[in-house]
Amino acid sequence: MSSLAHEKMIPPDNKRGRRDNNEDRLSDLPDCVLLHILSFLNSKHAVQTCVLSPRWKHLWKCIPTLILHSSEFSNAKKLGIFVTKILNLRDTTPSLHTLDFERLGSFEPQRTLKEIINYACSHNTQLKKLGICVKGDSSIIFPRISSCISSCQALTSLKLYIYPKGLYSNGKRTLFPKYLNLPALTSLDLTYFTFCASDNADHAEPFSSFNCLNNLIISSCTVTDTPILRISSATLVNLTMSYNSSDFPKFELFAPSLYTITFEGVPHQRLCGSSLSSIKQVNIEADIFSNRFEELPFVLFSWQQDLINIKSLTVAATDLKILSLVPDLFKAKLPSLLCNLKTLKVCSRLTWLTKIRLTFDKSSNEDTVEKSQANTRSLPQDNGL
């Protein structure tokens, strides 16, 4: 016992299992893992990783995503220079899966957008996700974009925001094509577009050609030459409608797989169609600012009457205020209208559109990430960047 007590303690040799604290373990990862990590960054930050170590010097050239947002640059000139350089220096061998370009300031001249579109067209057979958010003369901008989109037959996700100059005065929305052949498209996000009826039709039906569509977002859109916007799709599961124009009074839904509807804005349109019974989850945040305020309670109440099979309902506090204006509301047998309801949530404010876009982006293909955190309540000002 005593000999053991006085025995000199020798610390164990841990050198064999110990690594230097300054050792760069991240750089030991294979290229495919590092490229996946870098694909989550916007392209400016991804390029800046080249200074970390020799191992990272050229990695950014092989990233399968390009995320180019003007918010990362102090002015349009610096954005244009960066776009030109990264497109010229990027390796051409790795396929480009995602291209997300956002420029909400005054967009003249349009050289940068032209470079972006030409680059996307050169990768049209591999490009899966395309996002373009710009502001300018849509009669000049959209024909170029539309031509590029038509050539990208592998697209699974498309996001288009095209804001006209003078948005708060006489800006006109961009006319969406009556037919667009994108056989693999599963997610579509449109902001500030006009849909028109086909020849001799009493409704606009712009999405019927997308045979694989699962997720649809339409924001700040309108319809011309017809009072009805028809959404027909055998595969559509999630529909989000946000702050669309009051110029048309009716949504027709023919989507037998439709499960979730999310609405944000002023409830001008009534819902009808054969798919209302399939909807199980509804999220509503109604806005009360409208010159036809007296109609809103009845429109919102009609939704509750039509969506009788919903199991989950999330509403904002303003929705309850609007519904309270319906005469004899509690005589309408609300329990029988919502007999299948299992979950009811009331929130002060929801900002659903931002959350929905983030959810769709995160649930997309593993090798690409597309981020859109801008809330379309705040439309872009004409102030440079």
Side-chain angles (χ1 to χ4, degrees):
M1 292 287 292
S2 60
S3 63
L4 289 175
H6 292 286
E7 188 174 293
K8 184 177 180 180
M9 299 299 297
I10 301 175
D13 185 6
N14 290 333
K15 290 184 178 180
R16 183 174 300 176
R18 183 178 59 193
R19 304 187 66 161
D20 189 347
N21 289 334
N22 295 324
E23 188 174 353
D24 182 6
R25 297 188 184 187
L26 190 60
S27 295
D28 289 341
L29 296 172
D31 282 359
C32 61
V33 176
L34 294 179
L35 291 174
H36 180 72
I37 294 172
L38 290 175
S39 69
F40 286 79
L41 302 178
N42 68 67
S43 296
K44 181 180 179 181
H45 293 164
V47 171
Q48 290 172 342
T49 62
C50 70
V51 302
L52 295 178
S53 73
R55 173 80 166 78
W56 294 74
K57 187 173 182 180
H58 299 291
L59 273 176
W60 63 270
K61 297 180 181 180
C62 304
I63 303 173
T65 66
L66 280 175
I67 303 174
L68 302 162
H69 291 177
S70 61
S71 57
E72 302 295 332
F73 300 87
S74 59
N75 56 60
K77 183 178 180 180
K78 290 183 178 180
L79 170 65
I81 293 172
F82 181 83
V83 168
T84 300
K85 287 185 176 181
I86 195 171
L87 296 185
N88 289 331
L89 295 175
R90 186 180 180 275
D91 285 351
T92 56
T93 303
S95 59
L96 181 67
H97 292 165
T98 298
L99 177 56
D100 188 357
F101 178 66
E102 181 182 295
R103 171 81 171 92
L104 290 180
S106 299
F107 203 42
E108 293 179 3
Q110 297 168 24
R111 175 184 171 184
T112 304
L113 179 60
K114 186 177 180 180
E115 288 182 295
I116 292 288
I117 292 174
N118 290 341
Y119 196 80
C121 289
S122 67
H123 292 77
N124 57 2
T125 58
Q126 298 90 19
L127 193 63
K128 295 181 179 180
K129 299 181 66 178
L130 177 63
I132 297 180
C133 180
V134 293
K135 183 179 180 182
D137 188 344
S138 61
S139 63
I140 298 175
I141 293 175
F142 190 67
R144 296 174 180 174
I145 297 175
S146 180
S147 176
C148 172
I149 293 171
S150 299
S151 69
C152 298
Q153 294 291 289
L155 276 183
T156 59
S157 177
L158 177 62
K159 177 183 67 176
L160 293 175
Y161 312 163
I162 302 180
Y163 299 101
K165 296 189 65 177
L167 184 60
Y168 296 102
S169 54
N170 59 353
K172 294 183 179 179
R173 291 173 172 84
T174 304
L175 188 64
F176 192 75
K178 293 182 181 179
Y179 178 79
L180 200 57
N181 182 29
L182 295 172
L185 194 71
T186 60
S187 181
L188 180 61
D189 185 349
L190 300 174
T191 294
Y192 226 76
F193 278 87
T194 294
F195 308 114
C196 63
S198 300
D199 297 336
N200 301 321
D202 62 351
H203 60 270
E205 193 173 3
F207 313 115
S208 58
S209 62
F210 304 132
N211 296 325
C212 297
L213 192 64
N214 296 140
N215 306 311
L216 175 62
I217 299 175
I218 50 176
S219 176
S220 302
C221 293
T222 190
V223 175
T224 185
D225 300 329
T226 178
I228 302 171
L229 176 58
R230 176 177 292 182
I231 299 175
S232 56
S233 170
T235 57
L236 186 66
V237 176
N238 303 298
L239 171 63
T240 300
M241 301 171 287
S242 176
Y243 284 91
N244 292 294
S245 171
S246 61
D247 295 341
F248 64 103
K250 187 184 295 184
F251 278 108
E252 282 188 352
L253 304 179
F254 294 91
S257 301
L258 188 60
Y259 187 88
T260 301
I261 282 186
T262 298
F263 178 85
E264 184 180 17
V266 181
H268 291 295
Q269 290 83 14
R270 293 184 180 270
L271 302 178
C272 63
S274 61
S275 302
L276 300 183
S277 60
S278 68
I279 299 168
K280 300 297 187 292
Q281 181 174 344
V282 176
N283 311 306
I284 301 175
E285 183 176 9
D287 203 328
I288 61 176
F289 297 103
S290 171
N291 55 4
R292 289 152 48 184
F293 176 77
E294 66 280 356
E295 301 176 10
L296 304 188
F298 299 97
V299 173
L300 197 58
F301 182 63
S302 72
W303 292 6
Q304 309 297 326
Q305 293 176 304
D306 295 331
L307 301 171
I308 58 174
N309 289 332
I310 60 174
K311 295 182 178 180
S312 174
L313 175 62
T314 303
V315 296
T318 53
D319 303 338
L320 302 182
K321 292 181 181 179
I322 295 174
L323 284 172
S324 68
L325 300 177
V326 175
D328 301 324
L329 175 64
F330 293 101
K331 295 181 180 180
K333 299 182 179 179
L334 283 177
S336 62
L337 295 178
L338 301 174
C339 58
N340 296 312
L341 193 66
K342 295 182 178 180
T343 304
L344 174 62
K345 296 180 181 179
V346 180
C347 305
S348 58
R349 193 168 182 82
L350 303 177
T351 60
W352 275 108
L353 186 58
T354 300
K355 295 178 182 179
I356 290 294
R357 281 177 172 153
L358 287 173
T359 301
F360 286 169
D361 291 340
K362 291 178 181 179
S363 63
S364 58
N365 297 335
E366 290 183 355
D367 56 350
T368 56
V369 169
E370 176 185 345
K371 297 182 179 179
S372 171
Q373 298 181 355
N375 191 336
T376 54
R377 289 180 181 279
S378 302
L379 296 175
Q381 301 288 340
D382 203 355
N383 58 355
L385 286 173

